[in-house]
Amino acid sequence: MPLSLHPVVGPPPSHPLPHSPTGRRRRGAALAAACVSVSLLLTACAAPSQTVSVPAPESFTEGLEAPWSIAFHGEVALVSERDSARVLEIADDGTAREVAVVDGVSARGEGGLLGLAVHEDQLFTYVTAADENRVERREIRGEPGDLSLGEPTTVIDGIPAAGNHNGGRIAVGPDGMLYVTTGDAGDRDAAQDLDALAGKILRLTPEGGVPADNPFGGSPVYSYGHRNPQGIAWDAEGAMYASEFGQDTWDELNVIEPGGNYGWPEVEGIAGDDDYIDPVQQWAPDSASPSGIAVTGSDIVIANLRGERLRVVPLDDLSRSTEQYVGEFGRLRDIVVGEGGTFWMLTNNTDGRGNPAQGDDRILRLGRD
């Protein structure tokens, strides 16, 4: 099954709360039941996949240093670098220009300048500081080729930080709300504590307020029981998906429901326990470690770090997947759909865990057919 290059056309629908995709949950439950019935053969629970051959993408931008996230301001791509705390503007010819260095970043381990999101000429950044993670917003000023950023305003702070498990993905949903993924920051039990911000997906207004229709009154928590989610995206019907790093056994693809408990640290992967929502797919970490994700008109596409591959999950069968570019470009941190439907993939081989090739790190572009 080839990679679909037909993204959703037109603006996303508006939903006060993304709906619960009941049919897809039933397919996930069926997969969970099958896995429980063969619990002595755990490898049989991994999602079926096959490697397919597709054209090589274009190496569009090279020489990036531990890049983490891509977001678009109109047709202009902005990229974050984790350790340097730089925000870069990518020109039409692929040249990278420094827009700003974000103050207050304390890069250590997996922390630093992580996720980016753009909404109404504001750039949102997920920042690991000395003693916390926080989300800030800044006005984007100027014209393409000469962009700059205004002064920061804190959207949310006090998110626990550590050398690993910082989460860090931010995105504006089809409902206009800001979604933030947070890791457990090494405190496993915090993921089940509704009073803690760690191990959660948070939902806020772009100004940082708590929406009145959040599932827990007065709380930014949208879902909980997460270990280290690093990818969020929505389909055309408003269903929300998230990729998540497991510990030693299973990485996950989840369908996110308001108020849902995804089980960490009580369970990892598909458990068949009615107290928790099971993932619709799970993979061994050495073939996955999923980070950024995007949704096209027919597929979920997932960038994998340790697995060094792009995984494609069809929306009409969330229990299946195909794999592309296995080992060809090293670690893949993010994938987004740009203007005109072009895929932009971000490698992550200079982050201290990869084996950089000449030109790494880079943006790879794959045009639609």
Side-chain angles (χ1 to χ4, degrees), residues 38-288:
V38 290
S39 58
L40 296 179
L41 299 172
L42 287 179
T43 55
C45 298
S49 62
Q50 68 181 94
T51 301
V52 298
S53 178
V54 295
E58 165 197 12
S59 184
F60 184 61
T61 300
E62 298 186 349
L64 303 176
E65 300 176 10
W68 212 92
S69 180
I70 305 175
F72 280 89
H73 173 54
E75 297 183 359
V76 177
L78 300 174
V79 174
S80 62
E81 289 186 331
R82 186 191 69 188
D83 298 338
S84 70
R86 296 195 303 167
V87 176
L88 304 174
E89 173 186 2
I90 308 301
D92 289 342
D93 63 357
T95 304
R97 171 188 167 271
E98 182 180 301
V99 173
V101 177
V102 174
D103 292 334
V105 174
S106 179
R108 60 190 187 279
E110 298 172 3
L113 178 60
L114 303 181
L116 301 180
V118 175
H119 180 62
E120 295 182 349
D121 296 328
Q122 299 278 323
L123 178 68
F124 294 79
T125 57
Y126 189 104
V127 170
T128 305
D131 57 358
E132 66 175 0
N133 287 302
R134 62 175 176 259
V135 177
E136 301 171 339
R137 73 175 188 273
R138 294 168 172 81
E139 181 185 3
I140 302 173
R141 298 172 175 171
E143 299 299 322
D146 191 32
L147 296 179
S148 63
L149 300 179
E151 293 301 309
T153 298
T154 298
V155 176
I156 187 170
D157 56 11
I159 300 169
N164 53 21
H165 305 181
N166 288 291
R169 194 68 61 186
I170 52 179
V172 176
D175 54 3
M177 297 295 119
L178 183 70
Y179 292 78
V180 180
T181 75
T182 72
D184 68 10
D187 181 0
R188 296 158 56 108
D189 293 337
Q192 289 292 320
D193 182 357
L194 288 174
D195 292 326
L197 295 179
K200 309 294 191 297
I201 295 177
L202 310 178
R203 180 176 183 259
L204 301 157
T205 69
E207 295 73 31
V210 175
D213 56 357
N214 267 13
F216 305 104
S219 171
V221 173
Y222 190 71
S223 63
Y224 65 110
H226 298 289
R227 181 177 180 270
N228 193 21
Q230 282 195 7
I232 47 177
W234 291 261
D235 67 18
E237 297 177 350
M240 182 180 180
Y241 305 91
S243 59
E244 182 164 341
F245 288 79
Q247 183 165 327
D248 300 315
T249 309
W250 298 118
D251 293 337
E252 301 177 355
L253 174 65
N254 288 297
V255 180
I256 301 301
E257 300 185 6
N261 183 351
Y262 290 82
W264 178 256
E266 303 304 321
V267 297
E268 180 182 354
I270 295 169
D273 187 329
D274 289 342
D275 290 337
Y276 310 111
I277 298 175
D278 278 334
V280 292
Q281 280 206 42
Q282 61 184 17
W283 310 280
D286 62 356
S287 65

